[in-house]
Amino acid sequence: MKGMLSPSLMCADMLNLQSEIAALDNLGVDYVHLDFMDNKFVPNITLDVSLIKSVKSVLKNMKRDIHIMAYEPQQFFDKMDIGDSDIVSVHFEACNDVHSVISEIKSRGAKAFLAISPDTSADVLNNYLDEIDGVLVMTVYPGFAGQPIAEGSFDKIKQVRNIIDDSHKNLILEVDGHVSWDLCQKMRECGADLFVAGSSSVYCGKMDLETAVDMMMKLIK
Ligand code: DX5
Ligand code: ZN
């Protein structure tokens, strides 16, 4: 599967989001990563549901890659207008009934990804391989941009890649957190397909967006 990029909007210029989204949309980026946090599952609040919903109306090429870091995420699906072509990642650690949340996402025509935090074993995925469309491997502890990569992240990516390959399911392996210039290729070698690019790469502030996206696309292809 070709490497795909999903820049993390919470790392963009929050005072100019509409132009930031339009700029990404014009650069041939596959997805835009939209982090939602409830200040309970993680001690932070970022993009709100109405923004996540309104992003849908302005996208011309990119698709939404929605990462819900909240307990019982299904309560937000209507407000986010979850629908086809969306990726929706929900946390294994935040759902009472993962099976029903996954089927709720799929009933809306969206792709259901199961997100696992660094301290959650990849083995939990085995119960959901027939239902999910992908896995979001958190390579930092969820909640904040700018963190160092979590210990054991490369082994975790390899482990999830092996679980997916052994299942013979065509699942997407997404990585999120400290996907940096110098580590993204190693993540790719370990088996990642979809890369959340935040303050460690595309939004590092050292170059213009077009140059950064172009560099990242070349590194992960
Ligand atoms: C963290 C978020 C990530 C984060 C990535 O919980 O899910 O999307 O913004 O940004 P960096 O590259 O700074 O880790
Ligand atoms: Zn995220």
Side-chain angles (χ1 to χ4, degrees), residues 15-176:
L15 291 175
N16 293 291
L17 283 181
Q18 183 140 20
S19 55
E20 293 272 10
I21 294 165
L24 287 173
D25 217 6
N26 294 330
L27 288 174
V29 169
D30 303 286
Y31 289 95
V32 56
H33 189 79
L34 304 167
D35 288 305
F36 176 79
M37 302 178 189
D38 64 358
N39 202 31
K40 297 189 191 91
F41 177 63
V42 295
N44 195 5
I45 292 177
T46 47
L47 309 175
D48 81 332
V49 285
S50 51
L51 177 89
I52 290 172
K53 177 177 180 175
S54 47
V55 166
K56 189 171 182 174
S57 59
V58 298
L59 293 186
K60 294 187 180 58
N61 308 304
M62 288 188 300
K63 300 185 192 84
R64 295 189 301 177
D65 169 28
I66 301 168
H67 177 195
I68 306 179
M69 287 162 270
Y71 287 112
E72 301 318 315
Q74 64 281 11
Q75 63 184 304
F76 304 108
F77 291 170
D78 283 341
K79 294 190 188 85
M80 293 177 176
D81 192 17
I82 300 293
D84 57 353
S85 84
D86 287 333
I87 287 178
V88 180
S89 293
V90 293
H91 272 265
F92 167 79
E93 308 88 354
C95 300
N96 248 329
D97 181 346
V98 173
H99 293 289
S100 74
V101 175
I102 289 168
S103 63
E104 173 66 25
I105 294 168
K106 294 178 76 80
S107 71
R108 294 162 182 259
K111 286 190 174 65
F113 280 32
L114 193 53
I116 50 173
S117 294
D119 292 342
T120 300
S121 160
D123 294 340
V124 304
L125 298 169
N126 288 311
N127 299 324
Y128 308 99
L129 294 172
D130 292 337
E131 304 153 58
I132 57 178
D133 300 293
V135 179
L136 174 59
V137 177
M138 288 306 293
T139 42
V140 295
Y141 286 87
F144 296 90
Q147 300 178 82
I149 190 162
E151 207 177 311
S153 287
F154 295 112
D155 288 341
K156 184 77 150 304
I157 298 168
K158 279 185 206 156
Q159 220 186 339
V160 173
R161 173 45 61 197
N162 290 337
I163 289 172
I164 291 174
D165 290 350
D166 291 352
S167 74
H168 303 294
K169 305 259 178 219
N170 192 22
L171 306 185
I172 295 172
L173 197 165
E174 180 173 10
V175 287
D176 183 3

